[in-house]
Amino acid sequence: MDKFTCMVALARVVELGSFAEAARRMGVSAPMVTKYIGHLEHELGSRLLNRSTHSLSLTDVGQLYHQRCVQILEDIEEAEAVAGANSAVPRGSLKICVSGAFDLSHVGPVLLEYSARHSDVRLEVTVSNHFVDLVEEGFDVAVRAVDQLRANSILKTVKLATSRLVACASPAYLKKNPQPEIPENLLHHNCLAFTDTAPTVQQWRFERDGRNSMVQALGTLRASSNELLKQAALRGQGVILQPTFNVYEELRAGTLQQVLADYDAGSLGIYLIHPQRRYLATKVRSFIELLDGRWGTNPDADPFWSNG
């Protein structure tokens, strides 16, 4: 039995949630679709679908196999489209992971614009602070804000922008508490720290004239949400260390004021990451093209700056 047809049957059954509808779309009988799925299960030695009278769902093995089937079928469809025309129309599912540290207020408009342009693409967006295995979890592309990336031969990374880290607090907080003149002064302040792992004590690094200072950020709030920390700072609750893409407007408006401005607190790189492939699917390539040059590099005009 043709494995390609069997894979198509599995993809259609999961997509449509019905053996009968999958059979109708494929132009075969429902018992034939059942045979296709049964053949795959026999070949793999594992059940792929949990079936009942009123519902069906993928098993754990089925979820992994289905992800690969969908990717293979989309790659074949893409190859056929490229071979048959100079340009292919983006279609299928585009699975994107966005770093929780990079506020959706920046990425969100790009995602909505892409969706409006390409109605044949179904966007699946996951927001996570944790590094996900793009290949293992079936993601097409990721947008991450990190201080550094580990080298990975199976992933391609493109640096979109760089955002400085700045320490800041509200005027009301600074009125009640002495302005820190050196990083060590922060030990006497309520430092509201970003963390993506609960047990981790956040350390803030500052550099000036070649001298590094490491300060433990001790305070009444730690969170994996930059937005929550910013709101706490705006309420006068403490000092935050934030990427400028999250506090740029507040710094301009004066509702937050930078402290320790003579020190370099580091930066975050904004990266686009996708599995390394010789030929990119049109849906991925068109998303990359939409992001290209999206954020400028002039620190006086926008929250990003670039150091190469």
Side-chain angles (χ1 to χ4, degrees):
M1 190 171 287
D2 179 48
K3 184 170 289 188
F4 175 78
T5 304
C6 295
M7 293 169 68
V8 171
L10 177 64
R12 294 293 176 267
V13 167
V14 174
E15 177 187 0
L16 301 169
S18 166
F19 276 74
E21 183 60 22
R24 190 185 70 80
R25 294 285 185 92
M26 294 179 67
V28 298
S29 66
M32 195 66 224
V33 171
T34 301
K35 286 183 179 181
Y36 290 144
I37 304 300
H39 178 74
L40 286 178
E41 292 179 330
H42 176 74
E43 288 286 306
L44 297 169
S46 298
R47 181 174 290 277
L48 299 175
L49 290 169
N50 294 314
R51 308 172 181 85
S52 68
T53 305
H54 302 293
S55 66
L56 61 88
S57 62
L58 287 164
T59 64
D60 290 342
V61 172
Q63 288 180 347
L64 295 173
Y65 190 76
H66 173 257
Q67 286 180 356
R68 297 301 186 275
C69 284
V70 170
Q71 184 61 61
I72 290 169
L73 295 174
E74 288 182 352
D75 287 347
I76 291 173
E77 182 180 7
E78 179 75 12
E80 290 175 344
V82 170
N86 292 327
S87 62
V89 176
R91 57 170 56 87
S93 171
L94 182 61
K95 193 174 180 182
I96 301 171
C97 183
V98 179
S99 170
F102 192 43
D103 196 326
L104 274 177
S105 64
H106 299 286
V107 182
V110 180
L111 298 174
L112 296 179
E113 181 178 344
Y114 183 90
S115 183
R117 286 189 184 186
H118 306 295
S119 58
D120 289 335
V121 177
R122 182 177 67 257
L123 287 183
E124 299 180 23
V125 182
T126 297
V127 180
S128 174
N129 288 321
H130 301 289
F131 279 91
V132 298
D133 188 321
L134 299 188
V135 176
E136 181 65 26
E137 298 187 37
F139 284 99
D140 297 297
V141 66
V143 180
R144 288 176 176 160
V146 293
D147 54 355
Q148 60 182 356
L149 276 177
R150 295 185 293 271
N152 191 319
S153 60
I154 65 173
L155 297 177
K156 180 175 177 59
T157 63
V158 178
K159 194 171 188 180
L160 301 172
T162 306
S163 184
R164 292 178 295 122
L165 291 171
V166 295
C168 52
S170 71
Y173 176 86
L174 295 174
K175 188 175 182 180
K176 294 179 180 179
N177 298 274
Q179 178 93 219
E181 297 181 357
I182 59 175
E184 289 74 14
N185 290 157
L186 290 174
L187 294 172
H188 306 290
H189 284 264
N190 191 33
C191 295
L192 314 175
F194 179 89
T195 179
D196 54 8
T197 52
T200 301
V201 175
Q202 185 67 255
Q203 287 193 321
W204 292 353
R205 181 192 66 80
F206 296 89
E207 188 271 334
R208 188 174 72 174
D209 300 328
R211 178 178 177 271
N212 288 305
S213 299
M214 300 292 291
V215 179
Q216 285 194 340
L218 304 174
T220 58
L221 176 64
R222 287 189 298 162
S224 59
S225 167
N226 278 329
E227 183 61 28
L228 177 62
L229 294 170
K230 180 175 73 173
Q231 293 303 319
L234 288 168
R235 291 170 178 257
Q237 293 181 15
V239 180
I240 54 176
L241 183 69
Q242 291 275 296
T244 49
F245 62 67
N246 195 49
V247 294
Y248 184 72
E249 293 299 333
E250 288 75 16
L251 291 172
R252 290 186 64 183
T255 52
L256 289 176
Q257 294 180 4
Q258 186 176 358
V259 299
L260 300 171
D262 294 335
Y263 288 82
D264 177 8
S267 62
L268 293 181
I270 315 302
Y271 295 91
L272 176 74
I273 309 167
H274 60 83
Q276 188 83 262
R277 294 179 183 274
R278 186 176 180 183
Y279 298 106
L280 281 178
T282 304
K283 62 182 181 180
V284 177
R285 187 172 65 250
S286 57
F287 183 72
I288 294 173
E289 290 171 352
L290 189 60
L291 275 177
D292 185 36
R294 171 66 55 157
W295 298 297
T297 58
N298 180 355
D300 297 321
D302 56 48
F304 303 102
W305 60 278
S306 176
N307 59 2

